[in-house]
Amino acid sequence: MLRITLLCLSLCLLPLPSQAKPTAEQLILFFGKDERVKTDPDSAQWQPVGQLETRSHLVCTATLVAEDVVVTAGHCFINKRGRFDPAVSFTVGLSGSEYAEQSGISEVQVDKGFLAGLEHRPDGTYIPKKIANRDFAFVRLSQPLGRSRGVIPVFAGDSAALQQQLQAANWKVTNGGYPLDDLNHLLVHSNCQATGLLPDGRLTHRCDTLEGNSGSPMLARLNGRMTLVGIQSSAPSPARRHKEDNMALATPLFYQQLQQFIQQGKRKK
């Protein structure tokens, strides 16, 4: 069972410098070595990736997959009291105190089974294993930032096809996002190791992530093109790092629902 440590995601509730040295515990989460690199968010591959902020100032990473739709993790919208916390903005090109563009939010869709299955306890909100593969959400933007920033293609096959493609790519993936220790810069771990696809559709990996990376894209070069193959969901506690890899949700888990969400938006126009 995974506990949501959302307090660590808050910009306002947890005042942090724009950049801080990783702590000893964080270094353990990095598998002993931090391999993330500060990256230009306006470089072609990363233009569709940005920072999502909620009403109570929690932050996650999200990716443009249509001109007005981003995909991210479902737990990004659960506040410290276990209540739904709607998104208020999506910012792209964020670097230090500057950014390229920003949009408001017109709609958030979190998987209903995920919301219904959360366990609320006095010490926090927990994600039982039975709903861990439903930790995804789709967000419709007020402004079609994908027209200027582009979109990242989403892998459309099933789990068997994805496994075949990842094997051909030597299970190498790339992750980038806006993590806890540097909320104002895009940090990227390139060519990190995916370690397997679980029977429930989750993708295990050894990319360096922290809070704030939730919802960030797992990219793989498939047929010569960087493609979204998953979104970051969770990491174990430092004490369990030697037993567990990080967890992402592979795209076959949510691809069809994502396409329906995109099409619903088009029909409303």
Side-chain angles (χ1 to χ4, degrees):
M1 188 175 290
L2 305 172
R3 182 182 177 187
I4 309 172
T5 53
L6 288 178
L7 273 178
C8 295
L9 299 176
S10 176
L11 281 171
C12 292
L13 298 179
L14 183 62
L16 292 167
S18 61
Q19 186 172 6
K21 273 191 173 184
T23 66
E25 285 193 343
Q26 289 168 346
L27 285 173
I28 294 172
L29 289 177
F30 297 151
F31 304 94
K33 182 182 179 182
D34 182 4
E35 298 188 60
R36 302 168 304 161
V37 175
K38 189 181 295 185
T39 301
D40 180 3
D42 288 324
S43 56
Q45 179 178 307
W46 296 104
Q47 286 189 29
V49 178
Q51 188 179 82
L52 193 70
E53 184 173 355
T54 70
R55 182 180 294 167
S56 62
H57 308 293
L58 306 179
V59 295
C60 282
T61 304
T63 305
L64 281 157
V65 292
E67 64 177 27
D68 61 348
V69 173
V70 299
V71 62
T72 189
H75 73 255
C76 294
F77 305 101
I78 308 299
N79 66 20
K80 64 177 183 176
R81 296 181 179 179
R83 296 174 181 171
F84 183 72
D85 187 14
V88 294
S89 66
F90 176 67
T91 304
V92 288
L94 177 62
S95 182
S97 60
E98 300 179 347
Y99 62 88
E101 296 182 78
Q102 187 175 76
S103 174
I105 307 300
S106 62
E107 183 180 359
V108 175
Q109 178 177 301
V110 181
D111 183 84
K112 292 181 180 178
F114 179 78
L115 293 174
L118 291 171
E119 293 187 5
H120 305 289
R121 303 179 185 177
D123 62 338
T125 299
Y126 288 74
I127 305 174
K129 186 177 179 180
K130 64 182 179 181
I131 63 165
N133 65 348
R134 295 187 172 195
D135 185 18
F136 55 83
F138 315 132
V139 179
R140 202 176 316 280
L141 306 180
S142 303
Q143 303 297 322
L145 297 185
R147 292 179 185 175
S148 57
R149 302 294 293 188
V151 302
I152 291 183
V154 182
F155 181 77
D158 60 16
S159 291
L162 178 57
Q163 181 160 329
Q164 186 177 34
Q165 291 277 6
L166 288 173
Q167 286 174 339
N170 296 314
W171 291 88
K172 293 296 184 181
V173 294
T174 292
N175 174 267
Y178 291 88
L180 171 68
D181 60 334
D182 197 347
L183 290 167
N184 296 328
H185 293 96
L186 177 69
L187 299 187
V188 173
H189 188 174
S190 298
N191 295 315
C192 40
Q193 193 67 50
T195 53
L197 271 172
L198 299 182
D200 69 358
R202 289 181 294 164
L203 176 70
T204 59
H205 66 90
R206 294 181 178 177
C207 301
D208 295 333
T209 64
L210 293 176
E211 292 92 347
N213 280 108
S214 291
S216 59
M218 307 299 302
L219 305 176
R221 187 167 294 281
L222 307 181
N223 301 315
R225 188 181 189 187
M226 292 300 277
T227 303
L228 185 76
V229 298
I231 56 170
Q232 170 61 11
S233 177
S234 66
S237 67
R240 295 189 60 81
R241 166 52 77 211
H242 65 292
K243 296 182 179 180
E244 299 177 25
D245 289 338
N246 292 341
M247 289 286 182
L249 301 191
T251 54
L253 285 170
F254 57 81
Y255 180 81
Q256 293 301 328
Q257 288 175 258
L258 172 61
Q259 296 309 307
Q260 291 172 7
F261 185 80
I262 292 171
Q263 293 304 315
Q264 287 169 4
K266 290 180 179 180
R267 289 194 291 268
K268 292 177 181 178
K269 292 179 180 178

